[in-house]
Amino acid sequence: MPFILKRLFLGFLFCVTLASAHAQNIQTEVRYYGTGCFTIQRGENVLLTDPFIGNPSATKVLFGKIRTDTAYVKLYMNPAAFRKVKLVVAAHSHYDHLMDLPFVSRLIPDSTPIVCNKTGKHLLSFYKMKQPVVAANEAMGTETTIGAWHYSADSTMRTMAFESMHPPQTAGINFWNKRYAQDLVAEPSIVSDWQGGQTLSFIVDWLEDSVIAYRMFFLSSMAKAPYGLFPKELLDEHEIDDLFIGASGDSEYSSFPGPVVELCKPKRILLIHWENFFKSKEEPFKAIDTKGLEAMTKVLKEKCSSETQIITPIPLNYY
Ligand SMILES: [Zn+2]
């Protein structure tokens, strides 16, 4: 090989080595805010999920007005991470998955896509947020079909939504399950204004040096298979590193985590939406359904190898 070519080749190898070392050195920092709300940060790239940090009481939710308690949310949000949010995903549009987004969006870059369902888009239209809102159920995948990728403005992150379902809240009844077909003309202020719409699950990829460096799967409500699942062929390009699954249990859904865990075979499982989110974060965190959470943890321990970490995250902590 001529000397100059050899120098170029060695230089190229050096750059590739540096690039991959750089990718490997980036740590994933998961911060839990309670319910389905997380910031997941790798370097300068942050995902925000199901934006809801407040904890209006059950009485207020059922009989009063619910609006973002801005002083309370400010206490707990981390502005440095929110300024780096490059993608937001919201799995459905009930208040406990979307209500605080208009307020926290003031810190998020204007170019950050908000990926939610059509109902969420109609709900958020009232707030005239600067960020583009994408109704992902128009091009969602299913257990057998691939959907569309939605990219961050700088193409360093992407997400694909899948058709999922919402479990009944109580006694087999599914409340606030309508879909909006038009923009809201008044501000949503009571619980029934926040109709759920199509429930979604999401794969999210962090792309570093044009390769998938970290992949998570987000399923914030319990769904009976095949709802919430994605085509197995997507795993050919990258495995699931972290699986986030809703864990407000119900005996009818005790078999819920089996199929999604068997599909994902993740390194870590984070059980989310497990705590009593009607209580202030100043009170001790307690499960909203202790038996359901215990049953799900037992199923997961049986299904997973000893290498899989099963985490019940405590709000305001990092993982
Ligand atoms: Zn819900």
Side-chain angles (χ1 to χ4, degrees):
M1 189 185 286
F3 180 71
I4 185 73
L5 278 182
K6 205 169 176 180
R7 288 288 296 268
L8 280 172
F9 179 68
L10 287 175
F12 170 74
L13 268 188
F14 180 69
C15 289
V16 167
T17 313
L18 264 189
S20 56
H22 174 69
Q24 283 162 12
N25 285 337
I26 297 177
Q27 300 290 314
T28 305
E29 183 185 87
V30 174
R31 190 187 196 213
Y32 188 38
Y33 294 88
T35 322
C37 189
F38 287 87
T39 48
I40 300 159
Q41 178 161 4
R42 284 182 59 85
E44 296 301 301
N45 298 334
V46 177
L47 170 75
L48 172 65
T49 65
D50 285 9
F52 176 70
I53 296 174
N55 299 99
S57 68
T59 316
K60 222 172 192 184
V61 169
L62 291 175
F63 307 110
K65 301 228 171 200
I66 43 166
R67 287 201 174 99
T68 296
D69 179 342
T70 55
Y72 183 87
V73 169
K74 266 190 201 166
L75 262 184
Y76 297 111
M77 68 190 291
N78 172 0
F82 277 74
R83 284 193 194 100
K84 292 178 181 171
V85 169
K86 290 203 176 159
L87 213 50
V88 179
V89 296
H92 62 276
S93 302
H94 287 153
Y95 83 98
D96 56 328
H97 294 255
L98 197 62
M99 187 177 86
D100 293 334
L101 179 60
F103 177 66
V104 302
S105 73
R106 296 176 196 180
L107 281 185
I108 294 173
D110 295 352
S111 59
T112 295
I114 314 291
V115 185
C116 59
N117 62 20
K118 264 191 226 175
T119 293
K121 188 170 176 165
H122 289 310
L123 270 159
L124 294 172
S125 68
F126 174 82
Y127 296 97
K128 306 206 175 347
M129 290 159 34
K130 290 177 179 159
Q131 296 80 4
V133 181
V134 180
N137 48 321
E138 286 173 351
M140 64 185 172
T142 66
E143 189 212 16
T144 52
T145 57
I146 304 277
W149 286 112
H150 305 284
Y151 284 83
S152 63
D154 63 0
S155 298
T156 55
M157 293 176 68
R158 65 177 188 179
T159 184
M160 187 182 288
F162 300 92
E163 180 182 24
S164 191
M165 59 160 286
H166 195 286
Q169 284 94 342
T170 185
I173 305 166
N174 219 320
F175 292 97
W176 314 301
N177 208 22
K178 286 188 202 146
R179 294 173 188 207
Y180 288 129
Q182 281 176 339
D183 289 353
L184 260 65
V185 289
E187 183 174 13
S189 59
I190 56 172
V191 66
S192 61
D193 289 337
W194 294 92
Q195 295 288 335
Q198 171 67 55
T199 302
L200 303 166
S201 56
F202 295 94
I203 284 181
V204 185
D205 288 338
W206 277 249
L207 306 166
E208 289 160 20
D209 304 315
S210 303
V211 294
I212 303 169
Y214 168 76
R215 169 175 276 186
M216 58 89 86
F217 187 58
F218 187 73
L219 181 60
S220 58
S221 302
M222 295 194 297
K224 271 186 184 167
Y227 289 102
L229 303 183
F230 58 84
K232 214 175 169 184
E233 66 207 73
L234 283 170
L235 296 171
D236 294 344
E237 47 183 6
H238 199 277
E239 68 220 8
I240 302 292
D241 294 295
D242 287 336
L243 167 64
F244 294 71
I245 46 176
S248 45
D250 183 307
S251 57
E252 195 196 343
Y253 284 79
S254 58
S255 62
F256 144 69
V260 69
V261 167
E262 277 159 25
L263 174 66
C264 293
K265 294 188 178 59
K267 291 177 189 144
R268 298 196 299 180
I269 299 173
L270 290 102
L271 295 175
I272 67 175
H273 211 332
W274 64 270
E275 81 287 355
N276 184 343
F277 56 95
F278 300 110
K279 300 272 185 203
S280 161
K281 297 191 203 307
E282 273 148 41
E283 293 179 45
F285 298 109
K286 286 191 183 148
I288 198 155
D289 175 358
T290 309
K291 275 190 183 168
L293 183 63
E294 282 171 3
M296 195 178 291
T297 309
K298 190 168 169 268
V299 171
L300 290 173
K301 282 184 178 158
E302 287 163 6
K303 292 262 171 215
C304 298
S305 76
S306 57
E307 281 159 29
T308 308
Q309 251 186 295
I310 300 166
I311 301 167
T312 306
I314 308 298
L316 310 177
N317 281 270
Y318 291 88
Y319 297 90

